[in-house]
DNA sequence: AGGTATCTTTGACGGGAGTCAATTCGCCGA
DNA sequence: TCGGCGAATTGACTCCCGTCAAAGATACCT
């Protein structure tokens, strides 16, 4: 809840690394950062609730935030996970509508809030920003389609897709296969895959039965990367 | 497959009513229209397949097109329905990626195709177009979230939401309640709700049993608008 | 009016997944 | 080393919905 005149270094860094206005002048970015209301929140804090009008938008300075729906049957559908440098609800601000999702801090986090008008002012002053905005928005739309795509898959496939991505990014090669650390509680993973721990557990068991992977504690060894990838892309591998 | 030098009147009208470049000069719009490759397709024709690179984008001149996924269990998930004046895959063009969805003609339709470069050229020549583009994209993102939201609901709720919207727009007041004409085959409605005719039929039966509506042929009379609305918004009405 | 094709409804069935409850596993602290 | 507590797994159950099959409705064409 602290607003200050001198800009916190981490806040400034966050603004500088934000894709939205990467075409803006350094001065404009600094000005944006200076006008932000910076808050530090604990994990689990609600940042926005579905239906709220978007009077301001945010920028994640540190930590992670999660945009999600509460599905009809109580399960949460994660829409997007935002990290340091990612904008938060900027789209809603641009569209001038109400929040269509809930947003909460997925970890302890630092968030900088700006009035929506700041974004419009920036567009006014530096029209070239529009270009990067358009690119970002377009990509966002395309990415959202993949959220929907993922939801259309069953849980083992969603898990396979997730593991495949993880393996690509941070897999350690071993004689047996690519090895990855889950690095979080299974329950949290379940949440981010839009399911519950029990079902996730069964999904792991299924992939193991099918010979795609091996697991020991929270270490997963992928035996058949190919099959994992094709499962995760939604093409059945009969 | 006909490309012509003189612009078809309907094509021109389509371009003029497209929100994407509503800030563009009439001359630019005419030029766009003149450069389009216009095709007439029959209902069911595939216009784009998932994974295709987006070399051109389209504009629906007449008829309707539908963007959808093939879900894992065979059900189709309708992403968006595009009508006359709506752009088709313009987002993909802007993002420079591959089609994330399948697109097909939902009715006999006329589509005008343009190379993606035409859009970039337009942005170059008339920067003010960026503004309307941004607004359109932002709205699109927000709307997509509602697609996901809808998918999280069960079929009766999805139907309730749809009927409520329809009632708001085109409901005829009668002594019994708001009356609306479905105006399409139930099978088509099922498709656009992301389900199949059988399940839709059961959803109608359920809403009728619950006393929310009455139906006679393809005329639906809504008896309890309130309950319908709250069901459709995803809040259980216990 | 008759007949046929199409659409719609209904029933039976199966699979995926969420809930609840019980059990097992694993990690810490005493 | 022995509890103890949270996390993970497993089983039983149920609901939702898609598929398949069959039986009404409806509409349209001759």
């Amino acid at each position: 809840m602290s607003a200050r005149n001198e800009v916190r270094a981490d806040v400034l860094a966050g603004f500088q690394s934000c894709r939205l206005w990467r075409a803006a002048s350094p001065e404009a970015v600094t000005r944006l950062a200076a006008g932000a209301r910076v808050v530090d929140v604990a994990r689990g804090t609600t940042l926005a609730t579905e239906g709220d009008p978007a009077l301001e938008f945010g920028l994640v300075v540190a930590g992670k935030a999660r945009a999600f729906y509460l599905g009809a049957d109580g399960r949460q559908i994660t829409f997007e996970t935002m990290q340091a440098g990612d904008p938060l609800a900027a789209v809603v601000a641009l569209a001038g509508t109400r929040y269509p999702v809930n947003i909460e801090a997925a970890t302890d986090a630092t968030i900088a809030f700006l009035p929506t008008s700041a974004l419009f002012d920036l567009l006014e002053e530096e029209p070239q920003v529009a270009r990067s905005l358009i690119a970002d928005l377009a990509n966002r739309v395309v990415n959202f389609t993949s959220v929907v795509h993922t939801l259309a898959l069953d849980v083992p496939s969603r898990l396979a897709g997730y593991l495949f991505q993880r393996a690509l990014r941070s897999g350690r090669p071993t004689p047996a296969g690519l090895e990855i650390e889950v690095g979080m509680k299974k329950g949290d993973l379940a949440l981010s895959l839009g399911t519950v721990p029990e079902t996730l557990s069964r999904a792991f068991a299924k992939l193991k039965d099918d010979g795609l992977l091996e697991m020991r504690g929270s270490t997963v060894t992928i035996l058949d990367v190919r099959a994992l990838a094709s499962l995760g892309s939604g093409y059945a591998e009969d």
Side-chain angles (χ1 to χ4, degrees), chain A:
Chain A
M1 298 294 174
S2 68
R4 6 184 114 198
N5 290 329
E6 48 190 272
V7 182
R8 276 169 53 170
D10 56 349
V11 173
L12 184 57
F15 275 82
Q16 284 166 347
S17 66
C18 180
R19 302 184 311 281
L20 274 189
W21 40 70
R22 64 164 175 270
S25 68
E27 297 76 38
V29 173
T30 306
R31 209 172 334 125
L32 273 184
R37 179 171 63 83
V38 179
V39 299
D40 294 297
V41 297
R43 169 189 168 144
T45 305
T46 297
L47 299 171
T49 304
E50 200 181 326
D52 284 357
L55 303 174
E56 20 177 51
F57 70 97
L59 179 84
V60 180
V61 172
K64 292 184 185 178
R66 201 164 65 86
F68 65 94
Y69 273 132
L70 291 174
D73 48 0
R75 82 173 179 235
Q76 296 193 351
I77 300 194
T78 297
F79 220 80
E80 200 183 1
T81 302
M82 289 145 296
Q83 311 187 333
D86 286 344
L88 186 150
V91 176
V92 188
L94 285 169
T97 61
R98 289 160 182 275
Y99 285 100
V101 293
N102 302 288
I103 304 180
E104 71 165 31
T107 66
D108 290 353
T110 303
I111 315 284
F113 284 104
L114 282 172
T116 59
S117 58
L119 199 46
F120 287 114
D121 291 346
L122 177 61
L123 273 177
E124 200 94 346
E125 291 160 24
E126 310 204 351
Q128 78 276 13
V129 173
R131 199 55 190 269
S132 55
L133 246 180
I134 288 176
D136 185 73
L137 285 172
N139 271 303
R140 194 172 295 261
V141 172
V142 172
N143 286 342
F144 275 7
T145 63
S146 80
V147 172
V148 175
H149 199 167
T150 299
L151 286 175
L153 268 40
D154 59 17
V155 175
S157 301
R158 298 213 284 270
L159 175 59
Y162 171 82
L163 289 175
F164 177 62
Q165 295 299 332
R166 280 291 301 269
L168 282 187
R169 278 215 318 283
S170 57
R172 278 192 311 279
T174 73
L178 279 174
E179 200 176 271
I180 62 183
E181 286 295 327
V182 173
M184 62 174 122
K185 273 182 298 203
K186 292 251 172 82
D188 288 342
L189 175 56
L191 215 61
S192 85
L193 291 177
T195 183
V196 294
E198 294 95 321
T199 302
L200 177 65
S201 190
R202 293 183 171 104
F204 265 118
K206 180 171 192 314
L207 295 184
K208 202 170 81 177
D209 281 356
D210 292 352
L212 301 196
L213 56 80
E214 206 59 62
M215 46 187 302
R216 217 181 51 259
S218 72
T219 305
V220 177
T221 308
I222 293 167
L223 305 177
D224 189 342
V225 183
R226 234 202 149 73
L228 206 67
S230 78
L231 233 193
S233 332
Y235 303 108
E237 24 102 47
D238 298 306

